[in-house]
Amino acid sequence: MAIIAVFNQKGGVGKTTTTLNVSASLGMLGRNPLAIDLDPQSHLTLACGIGQLPADKSIVEYYRNNKPLQELIQHSPRDLRVIGAHPELAKVDALYGKSASVTGKLKEGLEAGLAWDEAPVLIDCSPMLGVLSLNAVFAADRVLIPVSADFLSMQGVYRLDAALRVLEKPLKRKIEKKIVLTRFDTRRKLAFEVYDKLKQQYGDDVCDARIHENVSLAESPSRGKDIFEFASHSRGAQDYGALTMELLQKGFFE
Ligand SMILES: Nc1ncnc2c1ncn2[C@@H]1O[C@H](COP(=O)(O)OP(=O)(O)O)[C@@H](O)[C@H]1O
Ligand SMILES: [Mg+2]
C-alpha cells in the first residue's frame, strides 16, 4: 500500500483535480486505488460524483468516533473507492488541537484497517498546513505537489519544501516528493520559465508530464465525472494519463 499525500498549501493549484484524475487513471489500469478526501470543502467527494455525504458516512466519523476507515469507503458511480469528506471535518483542528497523538491518527487508521490492501492510496489535502494536512503527510510514503505555472506558486514551492524538510525530523525519514506543473498555458513565456526554474532546483523531482490549462478539466467536476469519462479525447485526459504512466514508471505507487 503506497500512500500519497497530494498537497500544496496554496488553493486552486489542482490538488483535487490531480487526486481525482490520477486515481481514475490508476483505476482504469486495474490498480483499484483508494482516494481519501481530507478537505472540509469536500470538493473531491462532489467532483467524483458521490455528492454531499452525511457527516457520519464521511471521514469525520473516523475522527469523531473511531469508525474503522474501511467501513467508510464509498463507491463513486465509476466505481472509484473514495472515503469522503464533510464540512464538519473543519472541527478536527478544534477537537484535537495540535497534540502529538492526532498528527499520527490517519496513519494509525490506515495501518489498522487497510494494511492488507495493496492498492495505492491518494489523499486530497486541504490548502493549509494544519492538523489535517499533517495527518496526511505523516501517513504518506510520498507527497505529490501540484504547482500552477505562475510566479507566486513557484515561490510557494520553496516554502512548502522547507516545511516538509522541517517535518522530516519528527518523522525520522526523508519525505519523497514529486512536483507536477498544472494549469500550464503554452501561450505564456512565464509558464516555461517556471518549469525550467523548478527543474534546475528540484531536478528529477519535477515530473516531465505537465498538465495544461484545459477547459474540460474545469468543467468535469460540475458533472461529477473524472476527465476520462467526461472528455476522454481531451488534452486534460491525455495529460493525466501521461502523468500517471510517468509516476508508475518511476515507482511512485510501489
Ligand atoms: N489544468 C486545468 N485546466 C483548467 N482548469 C483547471 C485545471 N486544473 C484545475 N482546474 C480548475 O481550477 C479550480 C481549482 O482546481 P482544484 O483541483 O480544485 O484545486 P485545489 O484542490 O488545489 O484547490 C477548479 O475549478 C478546477 O476545475
Ligand atoms: Mg481541493
Side-chain angles (χ1 to χ4, degrees), residues 15-16 39 41 43 124-125:
K15 291 182 288 296
T16 301
D39 184 350
Q41 296 180 93
H43 286 166
D124 185 24
C125 296

Side-chain angles (χ1 to χ4, degrees), residues 12-14 17-18 21 146-150 180-188 191-192 195 207-220 227 233-243 246:
V13 294
T17 307
T18 299
N21 292 311
V147 178
S148 62
D150 60 72
V180 56
L181 268 172
T182 62
R183 315 210 61 161
F184 196 90
D185 185 344
T186 49
R187 293 167 305 181
R188 289 195 196 165
F192 293 94
Y195 182 76
C207 294
D208 297 327
R210 288 168 282 194
I211 310 299
H212 293 81
E213 184 73 23
N214 177 253
V215 70
S216 299
L217 283 172
E219 287 171 355
S220 52
I227 193 64
H233 297 293
S234 64
R235 185 81 198 251
Q238 271 173 38
D239 286 349
Y240 273 109
L243 173 65
E246 180 181 344

Side-chain angles (χ1 to χ4, degrees), residues 51 101 204:
S101 62
D204 278 349

Side-chain angles (χ1 to χ4, degrees), residues 121-218:
V121 178
L122 284 89
I123 308 169
D124 185 24
C125 296
S126 80
M128 282 184 299
L129 193 57
V131 167
L132 289 170
S133 296
L134 284 173
N135 261 250
V137 174
F138 273 57
D141 301 301
R142 303 182 188 99
V143 180
L144 179 59
I145 307 173
V147 178
S148 62
D150 60 72
F151 177 74
L152 291 177
S153 288
M154 189 177 67
Q155 298 302 312
V157 179
Y158 302 141
R159 272 206 309 281
L160 174 53
D161 186 46
L164 289 178
R165 277 201 228 148
V166 169
L167 290 175
E168 287 179 345
K169 240 191 180 164
L171 277 169
K172 300 191 185 76
R173 61 178 166 92
K174 246 190 97 50
I175 300 176
E176 219 182 298
K177 64 173 181 304
K178 286 266 182 261
I179 296 167
V180 56
L181 268 172
T182 62
R183 315 210 61 161
F184 196 90
D185 185 344
T186 49
R187 293 167 305 181
R188 289 195 196 165
K189 211 170 122 214
L190 179 66
F192 293 94
E193 283 172 17
V194 168
Y195 182 76
D196 290 343
K197 274 235 163 82
L198 288 174
K199 265 282 184 202
Q200 270 168 27
Q201 175 97 14
Y202 297 110
D204 278 349
D205 285 349
V206 180
C207 294
D208 297 327
R210 288 168 282 194
I211 310 299
H212 293 81
E213 184 73 23
N214 177 253
V215 70
S216 299
L217 283 172

